[in-house]
Amino acid sequence: MKYNQSNLQARMNELLIEQSQHYLQGAVADYIPALAKVLPSSMGVCISTLDGNVVGAGNYQQRFSIQSISKIFGLVMAMNRVGDSLWKRVNMEPSGQPFNSIIQLEWEKGIPRNPVINAGALLVSDVLASHYSSSKLAFLNFVRSLAGDENIHVNMDVYQSELAHGNRNAALAYLMKCFDNIDADIPEVLSHYFTQCSVEMTCQQLTQSLLFLANKGISPSDNRVILSRKDAHRVNAILSTSGMYDQSGEFAFSVGLPAKSGVGGGIVAIVPNYGVICAWSPPLNNFGNSVVGMQLISKLAEELGLSIF
Ligand code: GLN
């Protein structure tokens, strides 16, 4: 790699300047009205490495709504809790459909294509709601312990807004319940799902929290086993094939890293045996992925030679 800590910092600052007008090509998500309150020109990027280095630029220490990035944390908790039985209830195939699509779910008898589209994340939320006495608190505690920050919280304004405009997610959950693939009561499942989506974190916190996925399941700072090696492999495989929704193929083609986006404008990318990159810029493209976030990760991955392929 041609960068060291200080010229990487300089390059990241420069990348943000290069991208400074490109956010105008996207649109901030407003189907959850509270998400539209964010400043569209906000922009941050951060890289944390397994050997403990952190380099960040722009608003990388500003909290934002993690939205679907939360699907990674929920999935890890469910895999640890119920083991391989999870894969009887959710598949591991790319969907080729928008993240909140309902069409496929009926054809496939209430079995979601994968755990990182909305239907799959609702299924995972059901697993958590059914196996923890307080799944929302368990989720928060898990994320807080990974990030090493007790102050990570849920934005209740976003939560209420998701609840008030969550008809499509409710429809997905009720459809799965019809097929006997949801155990808990639907309001409880939705409440868990909207809670995890409404958690706010910074780019730096997200990179720190996900280092275990770049390190075969082990947290590099304290050697804690967060996930078995086999399950860490599986999460990265799912993120490579489905983490960017209907743009996952293009992302693998052009960037080549397991990644996950959220409609809050964040994207995380896992670089096995190296570290984690997180970029944030709220305006999204038609797939629900951050326009500038994709550019920032793509350029850094290319210049640092990080592709796994
Ligand atoms: N809370 C959002 C939803 O359910 C999450 C979607 C996303 O980030 N892609 O629609």
Side-chain angles (χ1 to χ4, degrees):
M1 289 174 203
K2 62 181 178 178
Y3 289 112
N4 59 35
Q5 181 109 357
S6 81
N7 60 14
L8 178 58
Q9 174 73 67
R11 180 63 188 130
M12 280 161 87
N13 292 341
E14 203 176 86
L15 276 174
L16 286 187
I17 295 167
E18 280 171 30
Q19 292 292 318
S20 63
Q21 295 306 307
H22 292 180
Y23 75 92
L24 294 165
Q25 294 161 13
V28 172
D30 57 4
Y31 74 103
I32 301 167
L35 286 182
K37 293 182 184 167
V38 70
L39 188 66
S41 56
S42 313
M43 218 174 264
V45 64
C46 184
I47 299 185
S48 290
T49 57
L50 296 181
D51 53 12
N53 286 320
V54 180
V55 186
N59 308 121
Y60 74 106
Q61 287 174 318
Q62 190 176 320
R63 292 169 192 270
F64 62 90
S65 194
I66 67 169
Q67 291 295 316
S68 281
I69 297 173
S70 69
K71 290 170 179 167
I72 305 178
F73 300 117
L75 174 61
V76 168
M77 288 176 74
M79 288 169 97
N80 280 335
R81 196 74 186 199
V82 299
D84 284 354
S85 67
L86 181 67
W87 306 107
K88 297 197 174 91
R89 295 177 60 190
V90 58
N91 223 321
M92 66 288 282
E93 298 299 336
S95 71
Q97 302 287 324
F99 63 85
N100 55 5
S101 169
I102 198 166
I103 297 173
Q104 214 165 37
L105 194 59
E106 175 156 31
W107 286 116
E108 301 186 356
K109 303 197 173 3
I111 308 283
R113 269 290 168 112
N114 66 65
V116 295
I117 50 173
N118 283 18
L122 286 159
L123 184 291
V124 165
S125 298
D126 176 53
V127 169
L128 300 179
S130 307
H131 284 83
Y132 283 92
S133 53
S134 173
S135 64
K136 297 188 249 186
L137 191 60
F139 182 90
L140 263 182
N141 285 339
F142 181 54
V143 174
R144 285 171 176 163
S145 82
L146 287 174
D149 187 344
E150 289 301 306
N151 287 322
I152 291 173
H153 64 275
V154 174
N155 180 326
M156 288 312 285
D157 187 29
V158 172
Y159 172 82
Q160 293 297 349
S161 191
E162 295 220 36
L163 202 56
H165 297 85
N167 293 325
R168 184 175 272 270
N169 286 315
L172 290 165
Y174 279 109
L175 185 58
M176 288 189 283
K177 185 97 174 161
C178 267
F179 285 105
D180 280 332
N181 201 16
I182 293 282
D183 295 325
D185 291 337
I186 301 298
E188 206 190 331
V189 174
L190 292 175
S191 177
H192 176 94
Y193 175 67
F194 294 143
T195 298
Q196 67 170 52
C197 288
S198 306
V199 166
E200 291 190 329
M201 291 171 78
T202 68
C203 289
Q204 183 171 350
Q205 287 172 333
L206 280 166
T207 57
Q208 292 288 319
S209 314
L210 293 168
L211 282 174
F212 69 95
L213 285 178
N215 196 39
K216 302 179 175 71
I218 297 168
S219 162
S221 54
D222 55 8
N223 284 328
R224 242 187 334 151
V225 179
I226 309 297
L227 199 58
S228 70
R229 185 179 178 139
K230 184 176 180 182
D231 279 343
H233 158 108
R234 289 167 162 180
V235 172
N236 283 323
I238 286 171
L239 297 183
S240 306
T241 50
S242 305
M244 301 295 287
Y245 304 119
D246 209 7
Q247 212 172 12
S248 300
E250 183 188 328
F251 196 80
F253 189 86
S254 58
V255 181
L257 291 173
K260 183 77 209 80
S261 60
V263 293
I267 303 178
V268 293
I270 313 299
V271 190
N273 307 316
Y274 172 77
V276 179
I277 312 175
C278 178
W280 173 54
S281 159
L284 310 176
N285 64 19
N286 290 338
F287 298 98
N289 296 324
S290 167
V291 174
V292 169
M294 286 195 38
Q295 282 299 319
L296 290 171
I297 290 180
S298 167
K299 290 203 184 299
L300 282 169
E302 190 183 330
E303 293 176 20
L304 293 165
L306 301 178
S307 166
I308 61 170
F309 300 117

